[in-house]
Amino acid sequence: MTASQADADAEKGRLLQEEDEGSSSEFSGVRTAVASPTDRLASLDIEGLNDIDVEKETTSTQERPQRNGAKLIAWITINTLATIGIIFTNKAIFSDPAFQRCQVSFASFHFFVTGLTLFVLSRPRLAMFTPEPVRIRTLLPLALAMSLNVILPNASLQFSSVTFYQLARILLTPTVALINYIFYSTTIPRGAVYALIPACVGVGIVSYYDSKTPASPKVKSTSFVGVIFAFSGVLASSLYTVWVSSYQKSLKINSMQLLYNQAPIGAVLLLYIIPWTDNFWTVNHASVSKWMLILLSGVFAMLINLSQFFIIGGAGPVSSTVVGHLKTCAIVTLGWISSGRSVGDKSIFGILLAIAGIVA
C-alpha cells in the first residue's frame, strides 16, 4: 500500500466515521423528540403532586388553629367546672362538724396534690415546663403566705354562704391595686378605678344583708365570723398575689416553676402546725361519702392547676381574666339558687352591682 492509497483510505475512513456520527446524532435527536412527551407528562405529574402537597399543607395549617381553639375551649370548660365543683365540694365538707377543725390538714392535702401534679407535668415525657430549683429559705415567707391564702378562705367558706364567699373574692383586685400603689407606687388606669367602686359597694351591700339573721332557717346566711375570715382571706390573698409577682421577677422564673418549688414547702410547713390547730378525734365518725368528697376536692384542685396552665399559655392572661369573671358569675348564680333566698331579697342589688363592676 502506497502513501497515497493510505491517505485515501484514511480520508475514506474519516468520512465514514463522520457519517456514522451524523446518523447517530440524528437518531439521538429522534429519540429525544420521542421521549420528550413522556418527560413532559412526568413533569406534569410531579407538579400535580406538588400542588396536592401544598393543598394538604394549607388544609393542615387551617385545621391546626381550629384544633387549638377546640382544646382551649375544652380546658376553659374544665377549669370553670372544676372551680365551681371545688367550692361547692369544700362547702359540703366544712359543713360537716367532723371536718370543721381540719382546715390546715385540708390545705396541706391540696398543696401535696398540687406539687404532685406539677412534678408529673415537669417530667421529660410531658415537659410542659422546666423545673428551676430555689432555696427553701428563700421561699419560706411565700409558702407561709400561700398557706394563709388557702386556710382563711376555706374558714370563710365554713361560716359563709357561697354567694358571699365568691363576691368577697372580688375585693382582691382593688386590694392588690392598693398594695401595689402603697409599696411600689404602681397605678392603674382611672377607668379601672371607677369600675372598682361599684364592685366594692356591691360587696358591702351583700355583706350587710347576707350577715343578717334570715327570716327562714332554710336560708343560708353568713355569720360575723365568716365576714372576718373572708376579709382576712382577701388581705392574705392580695399579699400573696403581690409577692408572687415580686418573686417571679427577682428569681426570673415563671408561675409554674415557682409553684413547683413552694407547694411541697407549704405542705411540709403545715404538718408542723396541724397538731396545734386541727382536731382529728371527730374525723373517725365521718361517713365514707365525706372521704370521697375530699378525694374529689383533690381531683378538682389538680384540674384547676392543670387547666389554668393551658389557658394562660393558649389564650394569655387577659382571656384568663375573662374566664375568671365567667366563673364568678356562675358561682354567684348557683350560690344564690342554692341559698334559698327569694328574688325580692335586698342583697340581690349588691350582687348585680358587684358583678357589673368586675365586668365593666
Side-chain angles (χ1 to χ4, degrees), residues 182-205:
I182 294 174
F183 293 99
Y184 302 100
S185 300
T186 303
T187 59
I188 61 176
R190 183 171 297 179
V193 175
Y194 292 152
L196 291 175
I197 293 175
C200 295
V201 173
V203 173
I205 293 173

Side-chain angles (χ1 to χ4, degrees), residues 81-122:
L81 294 177
T83 303
I84 296 173
I86 198 171
I87 289 177
F88 284 92
T89 301
N90 291 352
K91 177 63 176 177
I93 293 172
F94 296 135
S95 297
D96 190 334
F99 291 98
Q100 288 181 352
R101 291 286 304 276
C102 297
Q103 301 284 349
V104 180
S105 302
F106 200 72
S108 181
F109 168 67
H110 271 208
F111 292 162
F112 172 77
V113 173
T114 299
L116 181 61
T117 302
L118 295 176
F119 176 79
V120 174
L121 295 180
S122 67

